[in-house]
Amino acid sequence: MKKLLMTFSEIALLLVLFIGLQAALTASRSQQSSGKKDTITFYNWGDYIDPEILKDFEKESGYKVNYQTFDSNEAMYTKIKQGGTNFDLAVPSDYMVAKLKDGGLLAKLDKSKLTGVDHFDKTFLNQSFDRGNEYSLPYFWGMLGILYNKKVVDEDELKDWSSIWDAKFRHRLLLVDSARDVLGLTLLSQGKSVNDKNVADIAAAQGKLSSLMPNVKAIVGDELKLYMAQGEGDLAVTYSGEARNAMSRNKDLAYKVPEDGSNLWLDNLVIPKKAEHKEAAYALMNYLSRPDVAAKNAKYIGYATPNKDAKELLPDSVKNNEGFYPKQSLLDKLQVYENFNPYWTQKYNDAFLEFKLKKS
């Protein structure tokens, strides 16, 4: 009798477990059918958002954030194209937005679900890579310029890009390791466009660039900001955000964008076409567009915010620094990179590689 009672107890327990499992499965299916998701996969550059912002968003929205990173636009493009992971929000640069869009890899934005567009400075909207901002919203922006040590280099010595060719800077210059940027500044110094697609112009730029080598102490990547902070170079060609990072470590450093203009780059928020959690993506886009959040993010990252209302919340020492927020007269001279086809990409890469080989 005791054994029989135990059998009945076991059966009852199994029934309870079965009913519980069925209820969980039903709730899960109901959640999926209603479109409510708990997690958003955010694909961004490394260390390109204040971690506190993600925590605050999770608390406020109820969504969890799966934060994944990439180290180049090309790596991000490959991952999104392959489709192995369904990213919900990504941060490509200007030319890559165009490439993703042309490849049919982006979802067109539903403007009725965006609440923060009016906070953006119109200077950074309606760019050539995404007219009407049908697929993207700006996240951060910056320029290529010259970081220099005020103790040994005067600002007046850096009027234009040709200044870095001056013989007085022999073996004193650090150069960012980027074909598009270095060829671009050389073209600007010759009165040409950073998007020049003329074989003769590229050849002329390559010729002028070769004459810069005596001034070049090193061609470096991310470590450039550290080298400058440690005083291992007197001046460097680098990006505004990297310059600000170095300046925070060394008060003798300053940053200037030459008068003949520069590249204007924009990193942007986009929703990949295969995103599974689009409502969550819109929620995070709107959250990041809030002036208080965008200002907090800008303080942490160091790059310039395209959010005009967020800019007003920044310290005067930041928002009034023309090296990072230049006057409109200089903004008008900035040029956004076009998405080159493989032929012109190779032309620029080859010219830069030949230049680098002179250093080895």
Side-chain angles (χ1 to χ4, degrees):
M1 184 69 177
K2 184 176 180 182
K3 186 175 182 180
L4 186 61
L5 286 173
M6 288 177 65
T7 302
F8 283 145
S9 298
E10 291 170 353
I11 292 173
L13 180 59
L14 287 172
L15 284 172
V16 170
L17 291 172
F18 179 75
I19 292 171
L21 180 60
Q22 284 291 98
L25 288 171
T26 300
S28 177
R29 292 192 187 101
S30 175
Q31 184 186 47
Q32 291 178 10
S33 63
S34 67
K36 176 63 178 176
K37 305 292 183 181
D38 293 330
T39 301
I40 174 175
T41 301
F42 186 20
Y43 199 29
N44 197 359
W45 300 82
D47 196 28
Y48 207 31
I49 191 169
D50 185 340
E52 290 298 318
I53 286 176
L54 294 179
K55 292 179 183 177
D56 293 343
F57 171 74
E58 289 180 332
K59 291 177 183 177
E60 183 173 313
S61 68
Y63 291 111
K64 296 294 182 184
V65 179
N66 173 23
Y67 191 74
Q68 297 191 27
T69 64
F70 55 87
D71 58 10
S72 73
N73 277 291
E74 287 67 31
M76 175 210 58
Y77 176 83
T78 299
K79 265 291 193 69
I80 290 178
K81 186 177 181 180
Q82 287 175 342
T85 302
N86 289 324
F87 301 107
D88 301 305
L89 196 64
V91 189
S93 300
D94 32 61
Y95 74 94
M96 189 54 67
V97 172
K99 186 172 182 178
L100 287 164
K101 179 182 64 173
D102 293 345
L105 298 174
L106 298 182
K108 195 170 185 178
L109 296 179
D110 182 346
K111 299 294 181 67
S112 69
K113 295 181 179 180
L114 296 173
T115 60
V117 177
D118 289 342
H119 294 305
F120 292 107
D121 187 324
K122 291 182 180 179
T123 300
F124 307 108
L125 298 175
N126 195 35
Q127 293 289 328
S128 58
F129 58 87
D130 183 23
R131 291 299 184 194
N133 289 92
E134 294 187 335
Y135 295 88
S136 67
L137 283 182
Y139 181 59
F140 279 111
W141 69 277
M143 305 158 289
L144 191 72
I146 303 172
L147 177 66
Y148 62 98
N149 189 313
K150 294 179 289 185
K151 285 189 172 182
V152 292
V153 178
D154 293 329
E155 180 182 1
D156 292 341
E157 296 180 280
L158 304 173
K159 182 178 180 181
D160 53 29
W161 281 115
S162 287
S163 301
I164 64 174
W165 269 264
D166 196 301
K168 64 174 168 282
F169 295 130
R170 183 178 179 84
H171 203 59
R172 299 169 66 188
L173 173 70
L174 299 182
L175 203 58
V176 64
D177 189 3
S178 168
R180 195 74 188 268
D181 291 316
V182 175
L183 264 294
L185 72 87
T186 307
L187 286 162
L188 283 170
S189 75
Q190 297 174 307
K192 305 296 181 180
S193 166
V194 297
N195 298 306
D196 197 301
K197 289 183 283 189
N198 180 288
V199 173
D201 290 344
I202 303 304
Q206 184 176 354
K208 180 173 182 177
L209 184 56
S210 65
S211 67
L212 180 64
M213 189 52 76
N215 289 3
V216 178
K217 185 174 183 178
I219 301 172
V220 290
D222 291 340
E223 64 271 27
L224 186 149
K225 57 181 177 288
L226 180 60
Y227 289 158
M228 285 297 293
Q230 293 174 341
E232 296 187 34
D234 292 338
L235 68 164
V237 172
T238 191
Y239 312 111
S240 50
E242 299 293 278
R244 186 172 167 190
N245 183 296
M247 290 165 63
S248 69
R249 306 181 190 204
N250 186 336
K251 301 306 179 184
D252 293 329
L253 298 178
Y255 188 69
K256 180 175 183 178
V257 178
E259 293 178 1
D260 39 0
S262 183
N263 159 240
L264 165 66
W265 59 261
L266 282 157
D267 286 335
N268 309 269
L269 297 169
V270 301
I271 300 177
K273 198 167 190 176
K274 293 184 179 180
E276 293 183 341
H277 312 140
K278 288 188 172 67
E279 293 303 317
Y282 282 112
L284 184 51
M285 289 180 86
N286 290 333
Y287 187 75
L288 293 173
S289 298
R290 269 176 34 184
D292 59 323
V293 175
K296 181 178 181 179
N297 208 16
K299 290 176 185 177
Y300 177 86
I301 299 300
Y303 283 109
T305 176
N307 189 313
K308 62 180 177 11
D309 297 321
K311 177 186 171 185
E312 293 307 310
L313 301 177
L314 297 175
D316 289 343
S317 60
V318 175
K319 66 184 179 183
N320 295 331
N321 188 324
E322 294 185 11
F324 303 99
Y325 293 97
K327 294 179 180 178
Q328 191 63 46
S329 58
L330 180 56
L331 276 175
D332 291 340
K333 295 180 182 179
L334 302 182
Q335 302 177 29
V336 176
Y337 289 143
E338 294 177 5
N339 179 33
F340 278 171
N341 62 30
Y343 174 82
W344 286 108
T345 298
Q346 194 63 49
K347 280 287 186 184
Y348 275 63
N349 288 343
D350 288 346
F352 187 56
L353 179 59
E354 185 170 330
F355 167 68
K356 289 173 68 175
L357 288 175
K358 294 180 183 294
K359 188 66 180 172
S360 57

